[in-house]
């Protein structure tokens, strides 16, 4: 057999892929990271309405931008496209899952105690910090006030964030302090501009390209952006990975393939699951994949309720996107539900973007969603008086991803989702009740989005599952190490393997699992 191109190919560069690439390279492996999106920097972050905001998985030649918004029948899922994966668009929250989460639904090897040292390592690598008390936003102060008014004061806490803060910063001196971080990358300190989700222009946000991926490259790993993996093919000894290379200037797609001894799939809950589904059901290269592939998908209870205050300045575009939480995960939410309520923020470009983007969207649910948002922000500057109450919750995790045929093109298969709102309704209504109570106690007026009240649709930036951990192929797709049942040398290392909703921001748990699993794989 001819020599393989690499020891390991990592597909995706989010929390699972970045950790895997870093540790593999540090062990001396010849590592290639294939990332579908661009390598973003403060110099090319999208800002204008005409900039490349959107990624389209079906037309990456035309749309290879910042975020991938998948519209399923009753669920929208937001994912990132770029070197650094979800760390580019998430709200910096790096919080550990509750120990109780691991007592049901996981292989027995996965416990909080087993993950504790890996949680700590992730926190060190991402340099997590809390917002200094002298820099609390109006949203944080409102949330603390609401928690106390609802007798939840003891449940309010600031959150660990992957952000560099300057303890001496203040609004009268809104500059950033630049220095070299522990991984050799130049970074600034937070200026509370509110643009965490659309690219931090001062590099205060500790995105993965500034730590894990930087260490991977320093150890010899190669990262190739704009490489969209299409198919995995097992070889006699190793794997062949087929992909399309996207020309950023022309949009032209050029096919290519490379080989490796091991493949580590880390394209996210949607991406990893879809690729394996296509390999099993469309390309037929992995026919022995578990029949549980696609099952157990979770939206993690994400929900946002805007609230408006006539006389109170909130300015949700000021400050980090999320800073604090009210922890009701011990089933202390309304009607005994487990909730994690957070203060939400909106980029300061949101109003301008909504006004411009609506004109360019096709008719349908997505256009209706943007229109509803635009109506909320398009009378002067009501954003100054809006509080986006946000949060996650323990929901059933009963969704399913699968490939369906289109009636007008039966030779093509499209990723579809089977999910019904009925089993999630109780926990969503509990979140709404908590948001309404917080709003009422602080003198505001809550607005429950019509996308839920009339359409029963949800949107999540925290998808989990689809390639769930299990004990055998009968109840899972991968084992406790992320190894795919039935295929030596193939692993899944991202949120797709988490077998249930965890009720709070999942990035640190995804990274901690990857730290644990990759260390067990490489010894």
């Amino acid at each position: 057999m001819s020599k393989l191109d690499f020891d390991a190919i990592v597909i995706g560069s989010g929390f699972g892929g970045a950790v895997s690439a870093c540790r593999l390279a540090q062990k001396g492996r010849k590592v290639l990271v294939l990332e579908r999106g661009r390598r973003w920097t403060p110099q090319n972050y999208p800002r204008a309405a005409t900039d490349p905001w959107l990624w389209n998985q079906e037309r990456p030649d035309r749309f290879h931008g910042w975020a991938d918004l998948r519209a399923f029948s009753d669920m929208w899922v937001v994912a990132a496209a770029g070197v650094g994966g979800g760390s580019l668009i998430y709200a910096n929250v790096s919080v550990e899952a509750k120990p109780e989460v691991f007592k049901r639904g996981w292989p027995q090897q996965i416990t909080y105690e087993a993950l504790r040292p890996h949680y700590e390592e992730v926190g060190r690598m991402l340099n997590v910090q809390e917002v200094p008390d002298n820099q609390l936003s109006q949203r944080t102060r409102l949330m603390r006030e609401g928690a106390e008014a609802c007798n939840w004061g003891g449940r309010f806490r600031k959150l660990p964030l992957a952000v560099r803060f300057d303890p001496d910063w203040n609004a009268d001196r809104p500059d950033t302090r630049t220095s070299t971080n522990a991984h050799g990358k130049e970074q600034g300190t937070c200026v509370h501009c509110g643009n965490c989700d659309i690219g931090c222009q001062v590099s205060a946000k500790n995105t993965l390209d500034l730590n894990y991926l930087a260490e991977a490259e320093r150890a010899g790993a190669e990262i190739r952006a704009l490489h969209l993996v299409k198919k995995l093919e097992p070889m006699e000894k190793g794997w062949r990975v087929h992909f399309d290379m996207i020309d950023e200037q022309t949009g032209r797609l050029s096919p290519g393939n490379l080989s490796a001894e091991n493949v580590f799939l880390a394209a996210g809950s949607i991406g990893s699951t879809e690729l394996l589904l296509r390999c099993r059901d469309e390309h037929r290269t992995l026919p022995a994949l578990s029949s549980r592939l696609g099952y157990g998908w979770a939206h993690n209870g994400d929900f946002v309720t805007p609230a408006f205050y006539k006389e109170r300045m909130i300015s949700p575009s000021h400050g980090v996107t999320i800073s604090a939480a009210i922890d009701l995960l011990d089933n202390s939410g309304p009607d005994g539900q487990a909730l994690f309520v957070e203060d939400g923020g909106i980029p300061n470009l949101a109003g301008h973007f909504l006004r411009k983007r609506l004109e360019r969207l096709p008719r349908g649910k997505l256009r209706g969603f943007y229109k509803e948002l635009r109506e909320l922000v398009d009378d002067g500057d009501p954003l100054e008086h809006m509080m986006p109450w946000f949060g996650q919750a323990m929901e059933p995790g009963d969704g399913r991803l699968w490939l369906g045929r289109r009636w007008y093109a039966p030779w093509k298969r499209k990723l579809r989702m089977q999910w019904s709102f009925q089993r999630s309704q109780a926990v969503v209504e509990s979140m709404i009740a908590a948001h309404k109570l917080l709003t009422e106690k602080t003198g505001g007026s809550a607005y429950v989005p019509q996308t839920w009240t009339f359409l029963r649709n949800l949107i999540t930036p925290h998808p989990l599952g689809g390639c769930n951990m299990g004990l055998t192929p009968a109840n899972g797709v991968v084992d406790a190490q992320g190894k795919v049942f039935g295929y030596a040398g193939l692993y899944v290392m991202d949120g797709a393997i988490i077998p249930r909703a965890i009720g709070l921001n999942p990035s640190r748990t995804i990274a901690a699992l990857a730290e644990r699993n990759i260390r067990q794989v490489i010894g």
Side-chain angles (χ1 to χ4, degrees):
M1 185 182 72
S2 60
K3 184 180 179 181
L4 299 173
D5 298 308
F6 292 90
D7 297 323
I9 293 179
V10 179
I11 301 169
S13 60
F15 289 97
V19 170
S20 300
C22 177
R23 302 312 180 199
L24 285 162
Q26 288 176 335
K27 277 287 188 176
R29 306 298 199 270
K30 186 180 180 184
V31 178
L32 172 66
V33 179
L34 296 177
E35 165 58 51
R36 64 176 180 167
R38 311 178 189 207
R39 192 183 283 265
W40 298 96
T41 70
Q43 288 70 45
N44 68 357
Y45 289 144
R47 287 294 183 264
T50 55
D51 283 347
W53 286 97
L54 298 179
W55 171 279
N56 187 318
Q57 188 73 0
E58 296 184 13
R59 293 300 308 272
D61 55 328
R62 291 188 58 194
F63 302 99
H64 39 272
W66 179 256
D68 181 359
L69 179 58
R70 302 284 189 106
F72 298 101
S73 57
D74 293 304
M75 181 73 65
W76 301 325
V77 182
V78 182
V83 175
S87 74
L88 298 174
I89 68 169
Y90 84 139
N92 316 306
V93 178
S94 187
V95 63
E96 300 176 5
K98 294 286 190 176
E100 295 76 19
V101 163
F102 302 98
K103 295 181 179 179
R104 178 180 61 81
W106 301 75
Q108 62 182 8
Q109 301 97 314
I110 307 297
T111 65
Y112 176 79
E113 288 301 318
L115 288 183
R116 184 197 295 272
H118 306 298
Y119 273 132
E120 293 174 354
E121 176 63 7
V122 173
R124 184 190 69 81
M125 287 289 292
L126 298 182
N127 190 23
V128 299
Q129 307 171 30
E130 295 179 355
V131 179
D133 286 338
N134 66 332
Q135 299 170 34
L136 298 182
S137 68
Q138 291 301 315
R139 285 181 289 111
T140 313
R141 299 175 191 278
L142 174 62
M143 189 176 201
R144 183 169 58 190
E145 175 188 326
E148 292 171 352
C150 295
N151 296 318
W152 293 334
R155 297 174 178 274
F156 171 88
R157 62 184 173 106
K158 293 191 296 181
L159 291 169
L161 306 176
V163 177
R164 284 163 53 106
F165 293 102
D166 174 2
D168 297 324
W169 183 92
N170 62 71
D172 296 327
R173 187 189 58 74
D175 55 324
T176 186
R177 290 187 177 178
T178 303
S179 62
T180 303
N181 69 14
H183 314 287
K185 294 292 185 177
E186 288 294 308
Q187 287 192 255
T189 51
C190 182
V191 295
H192 300 272
C193 66
N195 287 338
C196 304
D197 293 345
I198 58 173
C200 176
Q201 58 259 33
V202 296
S203 294
K205 179 176 182 175
N206 299 326
T207 50
L208 294 167
D209 54 316
L210 301 176
N211 39 74
Y212 275 107
L213 292 172
E215 292 292 346
E217 289 188 294
R218 186 151 67 174
E222 181 183 351
I223 300 175
R224 298 186 189 179
L226 293 170
H227 280 61
L228 177 60
V229 174
K230 308 290 287 184
K231 181 173 68 173
L232 306 178
E233 183 181 10
M235 302 165 59
E236 182 180 354
K237 291 184 179 180
W239 291 84
R240 186 161 297 282
V241 178
H242 299 262
F243 49 80
D244 283 337
M245 296 172 285
I246 305 169
D247 186 306
E248 187 173 353
Q249 302 303 318
T250 67
R252 184 174 300 170
L253 301 180
S254 302
N257 68 83
L258 291 165
S259 60
E261 181 180 357
N262 297 298
V263 170
F264 296 87
L265 185 52
S269 171
I270 299 296
S272 293
T273 305
E274 179 177 10
L275 180 57
L276 290 184
L277 282 168
R278 292 195 182 280
C279 289
R280 187 188 68 183
D281 302 338
E282 185 176 45
H283 306 307
R284 310 289 183 180
T285 56
L286 302 177
L289 286 172
S290 168
S291 62
R292 298 300 301 169
L293 178 61
Y295 286 85
W297 183 86
H299 59 82
N300 208 36
D302 286 298
F303 198 85
V304 61
T305 305
F308 296 89
Y309 295 78
K310 291 184 178 180
E311 307 297 332
R312 188 164 186 164
M313 293 288 287
I314 309 299
S315 300
S317 62
H318 296 166
V320 291
T321 301
I322 294 176
S323 64
I326 301 171
D327 188 343
L328 305 173
L329 285 172
D330 60 348
N331 299 101
S332 296
D335 299 317
Q337 296 292 333
L339 312 177
F340 198 70
V341 181
E342 296 174 323
D343 60 322
I346 295 177
N348 60 22
L349 301 174
H352 174 73
F353 174 72
L354 288 170
R355 283 187 285 272
K356 295 294 184 181
R357 175 57 66 178
L358 182 67
E359 302 166 359
R360 304 179 54 173
L361 288 173
R363 295 185 179 275
K365 285 186 178 182
L366 187 56
R367 184 182 178 96
F369 174 66
Y370 273 110
K371 183 178 181 181
E372 182 182 4
L373 286 181
R374 192 183 76 168
E375 290 170 354
L376 292 176
V377 304
D378 207 24
D379 57 341
D381 192 8
L383 284 179
E384 291 185 345
H385 301 282
M386 185 178 79
M387 171 66 167
W389 296 106
F390 184 53
Q392 293 94 47
M394 294 291 191
E395 49 89 9
D398 58 345
R400 180 198 170 199
L401 296 167
W402 56 288
L403 295 179
R405 298 186 185 276
R406 305 175 184 184
W407 65 269
Y408 59 88
W411 59 90
K412 290 186 178 180
R413 294 192 177 219
K414 180 179 176 62
L415 185 68
R416 301 191 185 279
M417 179 183 294
Q418 184 178 12
W419 176 82
S420 179
F421 74 88
Q422 281 89 348
R423 290 192 63 198
S424 293
Q425 185 167 4
V427 72
V428 172
E429 293 295 344
S430 177
M431 182 69 80
I432 293 171
H435 288 167
K436 284 184 172 180
L437 182 61
L438 287 161
T439 302
E440 176 187 343
K441 293 291 187 178
T442 52
S445 176
Y447 176 87
V448 182
Q450 296 179 12
T451 47
W452 172 255
T453 55
F454 291 107
L455 299 176
R456 299 303 188 194
N457 290 174
L458 294 179
I459 184 168
T460 178
H462 299 129
L464 298 172
C467 304
N468 294 15
M469 284 183 169
L471 300 178
T472 70
N475 57 31
V477 179
V478 304
D479 66 12
Q481 291 183 346
K483 179 182 177 299
V484 175
F485 288 120
Y487 292 96
L490 180 60
Y491 301 83
V492 182
M493 290 285 184
D494 57 26
I497 69 175
I498 294 181
R500 56 167 296 183
I502 63 175
L504 44 66
N505 310 71
S507 64
R508 193 160 177 174
T509 298
I510 295 169
L513 276 170
E515 284 276 17
R516 173 196 179 271
N517 289 353
I518 198 66
R519 291 173 189 272
Q520 293 204 3
V521 170
I522 61 181

